[in-house]
Amino acid sequence: MQLDPQQSLQLAFRHLDAFSVPQVGTFVRKRIAAQIDHQSKRILPPHEIFVLEAGEAQVGLLEDFYKGYHNLSPENAIGLASQVGSWV
């Protein structure tokens, strides 16, 4: 079964709070509080963004997610994570 790296990365963004991509770094979900934009006279709602941090502090979380979500063997999950890293 061939899995799409782009789609697999989007799944990780939807389901995980933090994960490391091999040879890229660690993505961490950050929650941004509501803010007032005085210039446009609007209230900006709270939202979430992913921030890329240096290093690989969350090693294994992406592979574990792929094993569970796609029902992959450990070797195939590691391979998919590597494909995602190459794609990024």
Side-chain angles (χ1 to χ4, degrees):
M1 167 173 59
Q2 184 68 10
L3 297 170
D4 180 28
Q6 180 179 4
Q7 181 184 14
S8 297
L9 184 60
Q10 290 171 352
L11 281 171
F13 281 134
R14 272 189 294 220
H15 294 281
L16 299 173
D17 286 330
F19 59 91
S20 291
V21 175
Q23 302 175 3
V24 176
T26 299
F27 289 94
V28 179
R29 184 184 310 265
K30 300 284 183 180
R31 288 160 179 85
I32 308 298
Q35 299 174 345
I36 297 175
D37 183 352
H38 295 284
Q39 193 170 20
S40 65
K41 298 180 182 177
R42 294 181 19 197
I43 297 175
L44 304 173
H47 61 281
E48 295 179 335
I49 60 171
F50 269 91
V51 178
L52 180 62
E53 296 181 346
E56 296 189 5
Q58 307 295 329
V59 172
L61 291 178
L62 186 61
E63 291 88 348
D64 291 343
F65 172 71
Y66 289 151
K67 282 190 281 187
Y69 192 89
H70 292 299
N71 198 22
L72 296 176
S73 69
E75 297 80 22
N76 288 339
I78 290 169
L80 179 57
S82 294
Q83 287 179 8
V84 168
S86 297
W87 178 79
V88 171

